[in-house]
Every structure is written in structure tokens, then in C-alpha cells.
Amino acid sequence: MSRTLQAVRGMNDLLPAALPLWQFVERQARELFAAYGYQEMRVPLVEHADLFQRSIGEQTDIVEKEMYTFEDRGGDRLSLRPEATAGLVRAAIENGLLHNQRHRLWTSGPMFRHERPQQGRYRQFHQIDCEAFGYEGPDIDAEMILLSARLWQRLGLGGLRLRINSLGTPESRREYRAQLVDYFTRHRDQLDADSLRRLDGNPLRILDSKNPALAAIVAGAPALTEHLDPASREHFERFQQLLAAGGIDFTIDQRLVRGLDYYSRTVFEWTTTALGAQDAVCSGGRYDGLVAQLGGEPTPAVGWALGVERLVSLLQASGIAAPPGPPGVYVVLAGERALLAGLPLAERLRAALPGVTVEVNLGGGGFKAQLRRADRSGARLALILGDDEVARGVAALKDLRGAGPQQDCAWDELPARLRALLE
Ligand code: ATP
Ligand code: MG
């Protein structure tokens, strides 16, 4: 096949067989967001490149190396979104959602980053994301953790570990930053090119380096939590109390700084040991300065995003299958009169039995071939209509998963009988 007829590297097709697990995750998340009072919001996949540069930060991996940025036919510089927060903040400001209001929101969809494709790391990947605007205290930080923990529980996942840290405020980071620059300057000869570049502009980023050669030098760096301002310290302590009260286990990781510039105070990451190097399943934190930085009224904010591909892989690695789909009836149509009667009959059954799959055999085929298709469809029952059944106003019901005898049923009685048989 010519290269242009292949998917773009790092962008995956999701075939029908893979979808039930995805839908399981999405359904559980959707139900949980509703249960916690989060409202769904949807924003464009494409934004002005400038939005991401100003929010995520110039000296980050995402903006420096990973964005899909292009000029459109009108000459605008646009980017495919690498994450959801910036777009949601932009939309909240633009639509006046932040004036004297509080919002708990969620969204989901594809994100784009030009990274090196590998297991758990793709160029188009999917996130489920929640954000809260207008909540200043650590209660919402804790609620967001509780919500994610409940999602793992609902999905049947164990073994996820929560790491937390506090980045303090930009002011309190200044002093720390100076110490960090001092420390890394003393170890200059051990830094890689990225880190050297960041030493002046954004030394905290060095702590987030994925280069294993830097692990030792990063481990020896001074710790941020020792430089927290009193209010951030209190926020962090209260956050921990609330987590403990909610029965959430966590560890404090002083090196956790997260790969985006806009975070302040609380940051956190859920990781797993079951997926190898790409171990972060869900991550987020507080970004109290971002709304004002993008031109909105100062508004405290916090959020997280989970990677759906990684979560689905984790479900697979844990041997968790999607719950079975809706029970099904496969309608076998033997003959021309059966087709004429069968299509409207199937419509009546779908109207009477919401939540039941009524799949009609289309494209003809012999009786045996149709029964084979019925079997492969996963349906529990075959509903058989031949010319004889149509003449008598009945359908024959055959249990595809058990050995019960085939039985005739009058059309009017079908909904009640099917309901009973599919229970
Ligand atoms: P990582 O440290 O693995 O690069 P990140 O810090 O860049 O992750 P975030 O920007 O916080 O990740 O995105 C939130 C979640 O989205 C991550 O925890 C991860 O599960 C998922 N994710 C991020 N980048 C990718 C990717 N390229 N492919 C698949 N999932 C991803
Ligand atoms: Mg990354």
C-alpha cells in the first residue's frame, strides 16, 4: 500500500473489537462526573498557536518540540491542541463563565503531540479531563483526587499509586529557583543540551527531565517543599488531611513538578508499575495564575487529565474485560414475504424494548447461513420468520446459547416474551 494510504505514524485506528473497553471507561467517567456535579463542555481541536505558547510555556517539551503547528489558508498560525486546559480556559474567559461564578467542568477527546511513538505514547491520543474554576481551597483538589480514585475502583483497577507535591506560588518559587540555578550550575558538566538551555529560563523544568542520565543529579537537587510560603504550606497540609480523611493513600514526591509551566501549589500524578516506562495514567494540579495570565479575571483553578490509551492498556494488563453489551435478538428472514413483514416487526420490537439489540439479517442468504450469522453476532436469541410464520402471524424463537426447544410466539406477544427470555 502506498504510504499516503497508511495512517499517520503514532495515530491509531480504533477497531470495533477494541471499543467496548473504551466505552466502558468513558461511560464510567461520564456517570461519575454527573455524580459529582461536573458539567460537560466541548471546545475546538484547533486553537491559535499563541494560546498554547502563552499557557503551557515556551520552554516546555510540548511547546518546544511536540506541537502540530501550521499556517492555515488565511495565514493564521494554528495548533492542534496538545492538551485540554488551555482551550477550556480560553473558552471560559471568552464566554464570560468566570465572572463571580464557580464551575466544575469535564471534557474529553483527542490530543496531539509530536512525540516519539512507542507503547503508551502516541501522536494522537485521548484524554478525559476535568477542570474547576473559582475554587480557592484545597477541598476541590481533594475532591478531584477522590473522583479519580472512585473511577479506578469502578473500573476494578487496583495498584495505582498517587504522588503529590506543592509548587507553592510563583513568588515563593523565585528564591527556590535561585538555589536550583546555583545547584545545577555547579553540576553544569553533567547536564544535557535541553537542561543547559533551561538553566537560565526555566530551571524547574530540569527536574521534569525524562533523561535517565540526569536522574542522580536531579535526585540531589534542593527540594521545593522546603521553600513554600506559609499559605501554600497550609494549603498543602490541609490537602493531605482531606486525602487522609477520604481514605486515599499517597506519597509526597518533591521532584514532581509536571511538564507544563502553569501549575501552582498542588500537583499530583497517578502512576502504575504495570505499563513500563509510560507509567503516568492521570495527572494534574492547580493553576491559580493561568486565567489572569491569559487575560481573564484572576480565578483560582485546578484540573487533571487522564490518558485513555494508558488506562485501557492497564485494564487489559489487569485482565479486566468490558461488561457484556446489551442482550441481542437476531432476526432471520427466510423468503421475500418475511423481509416485508420482518422490517416493520423489528421496528416495533426496538420501540418496545429499549436497550435490546435487534439486528436484522440483511442481504438474504440461506436459512443455515443466516443462523450461523446469528450465532456469530453474539445475540442470545434468533427470531425466525419464514413464509409459513408470516402467514400465521407468529415468529419462531430459538435460544442460541442454550438447548431449549424452539417455540412459536404471536407477534403481539413478542415484546413481553422477549423481555422475559432476555432477562
Ligand atoms: P508523560 O510524563 O508520560 O509525558 P505528561 O506529563 O506529558 O505525561 P500530561 O500532559 O499531564 O502528561 O497529560 C495527562 C495524561 O495524558 C498523562 O498522564 C498520560 O496518561 C497521557 N498522555 C500524555 N501524553 C501522551 C501521549 N503522547 N500518548 C498517550 N498518552 C499520553
Ligand atoms: Mg509528556
Side-chain angles (χ1 to χ4, degrees):
M1 207 191 313
S2 92
R3 210 173 95 82
T4 50
L5 289 181
Q6 292 173 357
V8 174
R9 198 162 112 82
M11 307 209 179
N12 300 316
D13 300 314
L14 290 171
L15 301 183
L19 262 295
L21 261 186
W22 281 68
Q23 290 165 342
F24 178 40
V25 168
E26 288 162 356
R27 194 167 53 243
Q28 296 297 332
R30 178 180 294 275
E31 282 178 24
L32 272 187
F33 284 130
Y36 282 76
Y38 287 61
Q39 294 177 297
E40 186 178 4
M41 180 153 153
R42 300 185 190 187
V43 294
L45 267 60
V46 177
E47 300 272 357
H48 292 285
D50 186 46
L51 172 70
F52 300 116
Q53 278 159 325
R54 282 170 55 190
S55 57
I56 296 169
E58 295 281 359
Q59 287 194 346
T60 56
D61 279 350
I62 294 180
V63 169
E64 278 182 343
K65 321 184 212 178
E66 299 173 0
M67 285 231 288
Y68 281 89
T69 298
F70 57 96
E71 206 173 278
D72 78 356
R73 287 165 193 274
D76 287 332
R77 263 188 86 241
L78 306 178
S79 296
L80 301 184
R81 62 181 187 191
E83 52 104 54
T85 306
L88 284 172
V89 170
R90 195 264 315 133
I93 297 172
E94 193 172 338
N95 294 283
L97 297 192
L98 302 180
H99 185 65
N100 282 335
Q101 295 171 54
R102 294 165 160 206
H103 287 281
R104 283 184 266 196
L105 305 170
W106 71 275
T107 197
S108 67
M111 308 293 156
F112 303 87
R113 297 184 193 176
H114 195 273
E115 304 198 64
R116 190 168 68 78
Q118 54 197 292
Q119 181 62 37
R121 200 173 284 290
Y122 310 102
R123 291 181 173 173
Q124 173 177 303
F125 62 99
H126 297 76
Q127 288 185 340
I128 295 173
D129 173 282
C130 62
E131 315 283 348
F133 297 117
Y135 298 85
E136 200 170 3
D139 48 359
I140 185 86
D141 309 18
E143 180 185 85
M144 286 198 159
I145 301 283
L146 288 170
L147 197 165
S148 55
R150 184 162 297 278
L151 180 58
W152 317 147
Q153 190 204 3
R154 277 227 195 174
L155 295 170
L157 283 172
L160 280 156
R161 284 193 41 217
L162 176 67
R163 294 180 303 135
I164 64 170
N165 193 21
S166 176
L167 301 183
T169 60
E171 296 76 46
S172 69
R173 270 205 303 265
R174 218 157 281 150
E175 182 201 343
Y176 170 68
R177 206 188 117 114
Q179 288 197 16
L180 206 57
V181 173
D182 190 53
Y183 170 82
F184 282 125
T185 307
R186 273 186 277 123
H187 298 87
R188 219 190 165 89
D189 50 328
Q190 296 172 53
L191 296 181
D192 60 9
D194 273 347
S195 304
L196 280 172
R197 204 155 23 85
R198 286 166 185 178
L199 189 53
D200 293 325
N202 197 345
L204 257 78
R205 274 288 75 75
I206 302 175
L207 299 178
D208 194 43
S209 170
K210 296 253 154 54
N211 183 350
L214 293 187
I217 192 83
V218 163
L224 179 56
T225 32
E226 276 144 40
H227 296 264
L228 288 185
D229 56 289
S232 293
R233 185 178 302 281
E234 199 192 316
H235 187 108
F236 193 41
E237 274 162 16
R238 193 85 185 120
F239 172 53
Q240 293 173 51
Q241 284 168 6
L242 290 166
L243 289 182
I248 304 279
D249 284 333
F250 59 87
T251 52
I252 298 175
D253 179 350
Q254 311 230 338
R255 312 289 158 213
L256 182 65
V257 295
R258 310 279 304 108
L260 303 86
D261 273 359
Y262 53 57
Y263 288 110
S264 57
R265 293 195 171 158
T266 312
V267 288
F268 52 85
E269 206 159 85
W270 285 100
T271 54
T272 170
T273 51
L275 295 181
Q278 270 51 257
D279 62 353
V281 173
C282 172
S283 28
R286 184 163 272 284
Y287 49 96
D288 292 336
L290 182 61
V291 176
Q293 189 188 314
L294 291 178
E297 293 175 49
T299 306
V302 54
W304 57 241
L306 73 78
V308 183
E309 280 82 355
R310 291 187 196 177
L311 195 58
V312 166
S313 297
L314 185 56
L315 287 168
Q316 284 165 334
S318 311
I320 297 170
V329 176
Y330 193 95
V331 180
V332 172
L333 300 171
E336 193 53 34
R337 290 180 64 199
L339 179 60
L340 281 174
L343 283 183
L345 182 63
E347 288 302 321
R348 272 159 54 195
L349 293 178
R350 293 185 188 111
L353 300 167
V356 172
T357 299
V358 179
E359 181 178 345
V360 175
N361 184 84
L362 298 181
F367 183 70
K368 273 207 174 126
Q370 291 197 40
L371 269 186
R372 265 199 306 278
R373 287 182 206 147
D375 195 44
R376 255 178 305 177
S377 77
R380 215 170 312 152
L381 296 170
L383 185 155
I384 302 163
L385 278 184
D387 289 345
D388 170 52
E389 281 81 9
V390 173
R392 290 191 291 131
V394 301
L397 295 178
K398 181 177 164 60
D399 185 351
L400 293 166
R401 311 294 152 195
Q406 192 167 307
Q407 31 180 302
D408 282 351
C409 179
W411 290 350
D412 283 347
E413 285 156 27
L414 273 173
R417 178 80 70 85
L418 289 175
R419 208 174 286 126
L421 287 171
L422 292 173
E423 209 138 71

